[in-house]
């Protein structure tokens, strides 16, 4: 009679990886802790909202998270975090914090274009690159440029207010870059 036995490899069991919401919560808490430590700020932004999501050509899921403007109206610093998760489940992310100004800015990092409308009260932006513009919502002053528009060409960006009126238009903005619009 043969007795079969099996044994697993030694070592600690692998801890489950945090889900997206946990990663985002942790990132905003790190930002808040860092701001309080470095700037002597009595309160730092931790409440946040999803500003946009998309998928890259390699099927990596991208989500842009930003400081909740209503919960942080009394604070001067605003933060963002880009969460990335590839098809195999490997997650990473990056972001930062800073004050706001009157510039429209488009960043380009890791093939992802995203931007801010600064202090302009835009509800959405119309982004064009030589063809018909694409409307993109603005959340907390931030927007995620659709992957279909991401590339080396410059953008035309129209800022649209709550009543549908054009606040200003920026032409020939090549990321990474920023400009103070003239109305």
């Amino acid at each position: 009679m043969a007795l079969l036995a099996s044994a697993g490899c030694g070592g600690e069991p692998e801890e489950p990886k945090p889900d997206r919401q946990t990663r985002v919560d942790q990132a905003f808490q790190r930002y808040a802790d860092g701001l309080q430590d470095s700037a002597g700020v009595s309160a730092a932004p931790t409440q946040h909202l999803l500003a946009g999501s998309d998928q890259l050509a390699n099927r990596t899921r991208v989500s842009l998270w930003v400081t909740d403007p209503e919960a942080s109206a009394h604070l001067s610093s605003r933060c963002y975090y880009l969460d990335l998760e590839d098809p195999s489940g490997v997650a990473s992310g990056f972001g930062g914090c800073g004050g706001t100004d009157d510039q429209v800015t488009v960043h380009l990092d890791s093939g992802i274009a995203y931007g801010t409308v600064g202090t302009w009260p835009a509800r959405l932006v119309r982004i064009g690159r030589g063809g018909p513009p694409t409307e993109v919502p603005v959340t907390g002053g931030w927007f995620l440029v659709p992957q279909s528009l991401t590339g080396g060409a410059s953008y035309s960006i129209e800022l649209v207010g709550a009543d549908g009126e054009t606040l200003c238009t920026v032409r020939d903005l090549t990321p990474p870059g920023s400009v103070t619009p003239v109305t």
Side-chain angles (χ1 to χ4, degrees), residues 94 105-115 147 150-153 155 174-177:
F94 58 90
T105 303
V106 177
H107 304 276
L108 184 61
D109 290 310
S110 303
I112 303 162
Y114 56 99
Q147 189 63 36
T150 301
Y155 295 106
T174 302

Side-chain angles (χ1 to χ4, degrees), residues 9-182:
C9 294
E12 295 295 316
E14 191 174 308
E15 287 188 35
K17 295 176 183 164
D19 64 2
R20 180 177 74 172
Q21 189 63 55
T22 301
R23 292 190 304 266
V24 173
D25 292 345
Q26 290 172 343
F28 275 86
Q29 188 59 56
R30 282 191 308 271
Y31 295 156
D33 293 346
L35 283 171
Q36 286 177 323
D37 290 344
S38 67
V41 178
S42 61
T46 58
Q47 294 184 348
H48 46 276
L49 303 169
L50 178 63
S53 59
D54 204 356
Q55 185 168 302
L56 303 179
N58 67 2
R59 297 187 3 245
T60 295
R61 292 183 308 211
V62 177
S63 57
L64 173 62
W65 297 80
V66 299
T67 299
D68 181 340
E70 289 184 26
S72 302
H74 61 289
L75 302 173
S76 61
S77 189
R78 300 289 185 263
C79 303
Y80 76 94
Y81 179 73
L82 268 159
D83 186 73
L84 311 170
E85 187 172 339
D86 75 14
S88 70
V90 174
S92 62
F94 58 90
C97 297
T100 55
D101 56 23
D102 62 350
Q103 293 194 336
V104 174
T105 303
V106 177
H107 304 276
L108 184 61
D109 290 310
S110 303
I112 303 162
Y114 56 99
T116 178
V117 297
T119 56
W120 292 89
R123 175 182 66 80
L124 65 89
V125 291
R126 290 187 184 114
I127 304 172
R129 248 187 25 172
T134 300
E135 290 189 351
V136 177
V138 173
T139 303
W142 291 85
F143 59 92
L144 181 63
V145 176
Q147 189 63 36
S148 61
L149 294 176
T150 301
S154 63
Y155 295 106
S156 169
I157 302 174
E158 179 182 352
L159 278 61
V160 180
D163 294 334
E165 76 280 8
T166 297
L167 303 173
C168 63
T169 301
V170 173
R171 300 195 192 290
D172 299 323
L173 179 57
T174 302
S178 61
V179 66
T180 301
V182 178

